[in-house]
mmCIF file of all heavy atoms in Angstrom:
data_model
loop_
_atom_site.group_PDB
_atom_site.id
_atom_site.type_symbol
_atom_site.label_atom_id
_atom_site.label_comp_id
_atom_site.label_asym_id
_atom_site.label_seq_id
_atom_site.Cartn_x
_atom_site.Cartn_y
_atom_site.Cartn_z
ATOM 1 N N ARG Y 1 3.942 0.544 7.600
ATOM 2 C CA ARG Y 1 2.879 0.520 8.604
ATOM 3 C C ARG Y 1 1.574 0.953 7.948
ATOM 4 O O ARG Y 1 1.547 1.918 7.166
ATOM 5 C CB ARG Y 1 3.225 1.444 9.770
ATOM 6 C CG ARG Y 1 2.230 1.378 10.933
ATOM 7 C CD ARG Y 1 2.806 2.037 12.175
ATOM 8 N NE ARG Y 1 3.107 3.451 11.964
ATOM 9 C CZ ARG Y 1 3.922 4.162 12.745
ATOM 10 N NH1 ARG Y 1 4.531 3.577 13.771
ATOM 11 N NH2 ARG Y 1 4.145 5.448 12.504
ATOM 12 N N PHE Y 2 0.496 0.230 8.264
ATOM 13 C CA PHE Y 2 -0.792 0.475 7.627
ATOM 14 C C PHE Y 2 -1.802 1.003 8.643
ATOM 15 O O PHE Y 2 -1.838 0.574 9.786
ATOM 16 C CB PHE Y 2 -1.359 -0.816 7.015
ATOM 17 C CG PHE Y 2 -0.454 -1.450 5.997
ATOM 18 C CD1 PHE Y 2 0.218 -2.628 6.284
ATOM 19 C CD2 PHE Y 2 -0.293 -0.893 4.740
ATOM 20 C CE1 PHE Y 2 1.033 -3.236 5.355
ATOM 21 C CE2 PHE Y 2 0.527 -1.483 3.798
ATOM 22 C CZ PHE Y 2 1.194 -2.655 4.114
ATOM 23 N N THR Y 3 -2.637 1.939 8.183
ATOM 24 C CA THR Y 3 -3.806 2.368 8.935
ATOM 25 C C THR Y 3 -5.036 2.013 8.112
ATOM 26 O O THR Y 3 -5.098 2.314 6.906
ATOM 27 C CB THR Y 3 -3.786 3.884 9.199
ATOM 28 O OG1 THR Y 3 -2.602 4.220 9.932
ATOM 29 C CG2 THR Y 3 -5.002 4.312 10.000
ATOM 30 N N PHE Y 4 -6.026 1.371 8.761
ATOM 31 C CA PHE Y 4 -7.194 0.898 8.045
ATOM 32 C C PHE Y 4 -8.406 1.766 8.355
ATOM 33 O O PHE Y 4 -8.366 2.623 9.245
ATOM 34 C CB PHE Y 4 -7.466 -0.570 8.408
ATOM 35 C CG PHE Y 4 -6.361 -1.491 7.984
ATOM 36 C CD1 PHE Y 4 -5.302 -1.776 8.849
ATOM 37 C CD2 PHE Y 4 -6.352 -2.054 6.717
ATOM 38 C CE1 PHE Y 4 -4.260 -2.608 8.458
ATOM 39 C CE2 PHE Y 4 -5.322 -2.893 6.321
ATOM 40 C CZ PHE Y 4 -4.283 -3.169 7.185
ATOM 41 N N GLN Y 5 -9.469 1.560 7.612
ATOM 42 C CA GLN Y 5 -10.653 2.404 7.725
ATOM 43 C C GLN Y 5 -11.247 2.355 9.126
ATOM 44 O O GLN Y 5 -11.845 3.325 9.586
ATOM 45 C CB GLN Y 5 -11.692 1.956 6.690
ATOM 46 C CG GLN Y 5 -12.865 2.905 6.561
ATOM 47 C CD GLN Y 5 -13.752 2.557 5.384
ATOM 48 O OE1 GLN Y 5 -13.498 1.592 4.678
ATOM 49 N NE2 GLN Y 5 -14.779 3.335 5.166
ATOM 50 N N SER Y 6 -11.082 1.248 9.814
ATOM 51 C CA SER Y 6 -11.605 1.129 11.175
ATOM 52 C C SER Y 6 -10.820 1.957 12.177
ATOM 53 O O SER Y 6 -11.237 2.119 13.321
ATOM 54 C CB SER Y 6 -11.576 -0.344 11.602
ATOM 55 O OG SER Y 6 -10.237 -0.814 11.669
ATOM 56 N N GLY Y 7 -9.648 2.478 11.765
ATOM 57 C CA GLY Y 7 -8.777 3.210 12.669
ATOM 58 C C GLY Y 7 -7.652 2.361 13.221
ATOM 59 O O GLY Y 7 -6.753 2.878 13.895
ATOM 60 N N TYR Y 8 -7.673 1.056 12.949
ATOM 61 C CA TYR Y 8 -6.617 0.166 13.438
ATOM 62 C C TYR Y 8 -5.306 0.495 12.732
ATOM 63 O O TYR Y 8 -5.255 0.677 11.512
ATOM 64 C CB TYR Y 8 -7.005 -1.287 13.180
ATOM 65 C CG TYR Y 8 -5.920 -2.276 13.550
ATOM 66 C CD1 TYR Y 8 -5.755 -2.700 14.855
ATOM 67 C CD2 TYR Y 8 -5.045 -2.763 12.580
ATOM 68 C CE1 TYR Y 8 -4.759 -3.607 15.206
ATOM 69 C CE2 TYR Y 8 -4.054 -3.665 12.903
ATOM 70 C CZ TYR Y 8 -3.909 -4.083 14.217
ATOM 71 O OH TYR Y 8 -2.920 -4.973 14.549
ATOM 72 N N ILE Y 9 -4.227 0.550 13.516
ATOM 73 C CA ILE Y 9 -2.887 0.807 12.980
ATOM 74 C C ILE Y 9 -2.046 -0.443 13.202
ATOM 75 O O ILE Y 9 -1.927 -0.937 14.331
ATOM 76 C CB ILE Y 9 -2.231 2.019 13.671
ATOM 77 C CG1 ILE Y 9 -3.094 3.263 13.462
ATOM 78 C CG2 ILE Y 9 -0.836 2.248 13.128
ATOM 79 C CD1 ILE Y 9 -2.575 4.490 14.201
ATOM 80 N N SER Y 10 -1.504 -0.965 12.148
ATOM 81 C CA SER Y 10 -0.708 -2.187 12.246
ATOM 82 C C SER Y 10 0.655 -1.882 12.864
ATOM 83 O O SER Y 10 1.106 -0.729 12.853
ATOM 84 C CB SER Y 10 -0.505 -2.780 10.852
ATOM 85 O OG SER Y 10 0.447 -2.015 10.109
ATOM 86 N N PRO Y 11 1.319 -2.901 13.401
ATOM 87 C CA PRO Y 11 2.711 -2.700 13.819
ATOM 88 C C PRO Y 11 3.601 -2.501 12.608
ATOM 89 O O PRO Y 11 3.177 -2.725 11.466
ATOM 90 C CB PRO Y 11 3.045 -4.004 14.553
ATOM 91 C CG PRO Y 11 2.110 -5.005 13.971
ATOM 92 C CD PRO Y 11 0.844 -4.263 13.665
ATOM 93 N N ALA Y 12 4.817 -2.061 12.835
ATOM 94 C CA ALA Y 12 5.772 -1.891 11.732
ATOM 95 C C ALA Y 12 6.141 -3.269 11.191
ATOM 96 O O ALA Y 12 6.534 -4.164 11.939
ATOM 97 C CB ALA Y 12 7.013 -1.149 12.216
ATOM 98 N N ILE Y 13 6.017 -3.439 9.888
ATOM 99 C CA ILE Y 13 6.273 -4.719 9.229
ATOM 100 C C ILE Y 13 7.466 -4.536 8.292
ATOM 101 O O ILE Y 13 7.528 -3.545 7.554
ATOM 102 C CB ILE Y 13 5.051 -5.163 8.412
ATOM 103 C CG1 ILE Y 13 3.803 -5.194 9.296
ATOM 104 C CG2 ILE Y 13 5.291 -6.520 7.770
ATOM 105 C CD1 ILE Y 13 2.520 -5.288 8.512
ATOM 106 N N PRO Y 14 8.430 -5.445 8.296
ATOM 107 C CA PRO Y 14 9.525 -5.325 7.322
ATOM 108 C C PRO Y 14 8.965 -5.259 5.905
ATOM 109 O O PRO Y 14 8.163 -6.113 5.502
ATOM 110 C CB PRO Y 14 10.337 -6.605 7.547
ATOM 111 C CG PRO Y 14 10.038 -6.999 8.962
ATOM 112 C CD PRO Y 14 8.606 -6.598 9.198
ATOM 113 N N TYR Y 15 9.372 -4.252 5.177
ATOM 114 C CA TYR Y 15 8.848 -4.068 3.820
ATOM 115 C C TYR Y 15 9.181 -5.263 2.934
ATOM 116 O O TYR Y 15 8.413 -5.611 2.031
ATOM 117 C CB TYR Y 15 9.426 -2.782 3.222
ATOM 118 C CG TYR Y 15 8.930 -2.473 1.829
ATOM 119 C CD1 TYR Y 15 7.588 -2.154 1.602
ATOM 120 C CD2 TYR Y 15 9.798 -2.484 0.744
ATOM 121 C CE1 TYR Y 15 7.130 -1.862 0.332
ATOM 122 C CE2 TYR Y 15 9.348 -2.193 -0.533
ATOM 123 C CZ TYR Y 15 8.012 -1.888 -0.739
ATOM 124 O OH TYR Y 15 7.560 -1.609 -1.999
ATOM 125 N N ALA Y 16 10.293 -5.918 3.214
ATOM 126 C CA ALA Y 16 10.703 -7.078 2.420
ATOM 127 C C ALA Y 16 9.756 -8.248 2.594
ATOM 128 O O ALA Y 16 9.782 -9.189 1.791
ATOM 129 C CB ALA Y 16 12.123 -7.498 2.798
ATOM 130 N N ASP Y 17 8.906 -8.223 3.625
ATOM 131 C CA ASP Y 17 7.968 -9.308 3.882
ATOM 132 C C ASP Y 17 6.571 -9.011 3.344
ATOM 133 O O ASP Y 17 5.633 -9.774 3.584
ATOM 134 C CB ASP Y 17 7.863 -9.588 5.381
ATOM 135 C CG ASP Y 17 9.112 -10.261 5.929
ATOM 136 O OD1 ASP Y 17 9.945 -10.705 5.119
ATOM 137 O OD2 ASP Y 17 9.246 -10.340 7.166
ATOM 138 N N VAL Y 18 6.402 -7.911 2.641
ATOM 139 C CA VAL Y 18 5.094 -7.530 2.106
ATOM 140 C C VAL Y 18 5.164 -7.524 0.583
ATOM 141 O O VAL Y 18 6.080 -6.933 -0.006
ATOM 142 C CB VAL Y 18 4.670 -6.133 2.612
ATOM 143 C CG1 VAL Y 18 3.349 -5.704 1.979
ATOM 144 C CG2 VAL Y 18 4.544 -6.132 4.125
ATOM 145 N N ILE Y 19 4.219 -8.196 -0.052
ATOM 146 C CA ILE Y 19 4.132 -8.154 -1.516
ATOM 147 C C ILE Y 19 3.481 -6.834 -1.914
ATOM 148 O O ILE Y 19 2.383 -6.511 -1.463
ATOM 149 C CB ILE Y 19 3.313 -9.349 -2.041
ATOM 150 C CG1 ILE Y 19 4.036 -10.666 -1.719
ATOM 151 C CG2 ILE Y 19 3.087 -9.234 -3.540
ATOM 152 C CD1 ILE Y 19 3.218 -11.903 -2.035
ATOM 153 N N HIS Y 20 4.160 -6.073 -2.753
ATOM 154 C CA HIS Y 20 3.697 -4.742 -3.136
ATOM 155 C C HIS Y 20 3.674 -4.652 -4.660
ATOM 156 O O HIS Y 20 4.715 -4.697 -5.313
ATOM 157 C CB HIS Y 20 4.622 -3.662 -2.547
ATOM 158 C CG HIS Y 20 4.169 -2.273 -2.824
ATOM 159 N ND1 HIS Y 20 4.955 -1.149 -2.549
ATOM 160 C CD2 HIS Y 20 3.015 -1.784 -3.358
ATOM 161 C CE1 HIS Y 20 4.301 -0.071 -2.895
ATOM 162 N NE2 HIS Y 20 3.128 -0.419 -3.397
ATOM 163 N N LEU Y 21 2.482 -4.544 -5.218
ATOM 164 C CA LEU Y 21 2.308 -4.364 -6.663
ATOM 165 C C LEU Y 21 1.987 -2.906 -6.937
ATOM 166 O O LEU Y 21 1.199 -2.289 -6.208
ATOM 167 C CB LEU Y 21 1.170 -5.255 -7.176
ATOM 168 C CG LEU Y 21 1.423 -6.761 -7.103
ATOM 169 C CD1 LEU Y 21 0.112 -7.509 -7.117
ATOM 170 C CD2 LEU Y 21 2.302 -7.206 -8.248
ATOM 171 N N ARG Y 22 2.575 -2.358 -8.004
ATOM 172 C CA ARG Y 22 2.378 -0.946 -8.318
ATOM 173 C C ARG Y 22 1.933 -0.773 -9.764
ATOM 174 O O ARG Y 22 2.350 -1.538 -10.639
ATOM 175 C CB ARG Y 22 3.676 -0.166 -8.080
ATOM 176 C CG ARG Y 22 4.068 -0.076 -6.630
ATOM 177 C CD ARG Y 22 5.462 0.468 -6.435
ATOM 178 N NE ARG Y 22 6.460 -0.577 -6.539
ATOM 179 C CZ ARG Y 22 7.572 -0.646 -5.813
ATOM 180 N NH1 ARG Y 22 7.808 0.278 -4.917
ATOM 181 N NH2 ARG Y 22 8.417 -1.625 -5.967
ATOM 182 N N LYS Y 23 1.125 0.243 -9.983
ATOM 183 C CA LYS Y 23 0.672 0.583 -11.325
ATOM 184 C C LYS Y 23 1.147 1.993 -11.643
ATOM 185 O O LYS Y 23 1.036 2.887 -10.807
ATOM 186 C CB LYS Y 23 -0.859 0.492 -11.411
ATOM 187 C CG LYS Y 23 -1.441 0.827 -12.777
ATOM 188 C CD LYS Y 23 -2.937 0.592 -12.774
ATOM 189 C CE LYS Y 23 -3.568 1.101 -14.075
ATOM 190 N NZ LYS Y 23 -3.047 0.419 -15.274
ATOM 191 N N LYS Y 24 1.683 2.168 -12.849
ATOM 192 C CA LYS Y 24 2.224 3.462 -13.274
ATOM 193 C C LYS Y 24 3.221 3.985 -12.243
ATOM 194 O O LYS Y 24 3.102 5.113 -11.741
ATOM 195 C CB LYS Y 24 1.097 4.466 -13.533
ATOM 196 C CG LYS Y 24 0.191 4.040 -14.685
ATOM 197 C CD LYS Y 24 -0.783 5.122 -15.104
ATOM 198 C CE LYS Y 24 -1.597 4.673 -16.308
ATOM 199 N NZ LYS Y 24 -2.568 5.661 -16.770
ATOM 200 N N PHE Y 25 4.196 3.166 -11.935
ATOM 201 C CA PHE Y 25 5.250 3.498 -10.973
ATOM 202 C C PHE Y 25 6.206 4.477 -11.642
ATOM 203 O O PHE Y 25 7.033 4.103 -12.454
ATOM 204 C CB PHE Y 25 5.956 2.202 -10.570
ATOM 205 C CG PHE Y 25 6.996 2.357 -9.500
ATOM 206 C CD1 PHE Y 25 6.879 3.324 -8.516
ATOM 207 C CD2 PHE Y 25 8.096 1.520 -9.469
ATOM 208 C CE1 PHE Y 25 7.828 3.451 -7.533
ATOM 209 C CE2 PHE Y 25 9.060 1.637 -8.492
ATOM 210 C CZ PHE Y 25 8.930 2.605 -7.522
ATOM 211 N N SER Y 26 6.095 5.761 -11.284
ATOM 212 C CA SER Y 26 6.835 6.787 -12.026
ATOM 213 C C SER Y 26 7.573 7.743 -11.104
ATOM 214 O O SER Y 26 8.708 7.479 -10.700
ATOM 215 C CB SER Y 26 5.878 7.565 -12.944
ATOM 216 O OG SER Y 26 4.791 8.102 -12.198
ATOM 217 N N SER Y 27 6.946 8.831 -10.706
ATOM 218 C CA SER Y 27 7.661 9.913 -10.033
ATOM 219 C C SER Y 27 7.876 9.673 -8.544
ATOM 220 O O SER Y 27 8.753 10.298 -7.946
ATOM 221 C CB SER Y 27 6.918 11.241 -10.235
ATOM 222 O OG SER Y 27 5.567 11.120 -9.834
ATOM 223 N N ASN Y 28 7.095 8.811 -7.912
ATOM 224 C CA ASN Y 28 7.283 8.539 -6.490
ATOM 225 C C ASN Y 28 8.308 7.428 -6.307
ATOM 226 O O ASN Y 28 8.398 6.508 -7.115
ATOM 227 C CB ASN Y 28 5.953 8.150 -5.841
ATOM 228 C CG ASN Y 28 6.016 8.165 -4.323
ATOM 229 O OD1 ASN Y 28 6.479 7.225 -3.711
ATOM 230 N ND2 ASN Y 28 5.566 9.259 -3.728
ATOM 231 N N ASP Y 29 9.074 7.487 -5.212
ATOM 232 C CA ASP Y 29 10.152 6.511 -4.996
ATOM 233 C C ASP Y 29 9.645 5.126 -4.643
ATOM 234 O O ASP Y 29 10.299 4.126 -4.955
ATOM 235 C CB ASP Y 29 11.082 6.999 -3.880
ATOM 236 C CG ASP Y 29 11.948 8.161 -4.324
ATOM 237 O OD1 ASP Y 29 12.040 8.385 -5.552
ATOM 238 O OD2 ASP Y 29 12.531 8.844 -3.456
#
């Protein structure tokens, strides 16, 4: 679920449906 600068909160989205790129993916799960 995302919260944006405007204060808008998105509905819960299946994580499998979101492209997620990470940099220095280390100590956090």
Side-chain angles (χ1 to χ4, degrees):
R1 186 166 61 198
F2 302 108
T3 301
F4 296 91
Q5 190 171 1
S6 64
Y8 175 82
I9 301 176
S10 74
I13 306 166
Y15 181 66
D17 288 348
V18 176
I19 296 172
H20 183 189
L21 294 158
R22 292 169 275 216
K23 180 175 172 61
K24 296 190 176 180
F25 185 31
S26 55
S27 54
N28 193 279
D29 288 344

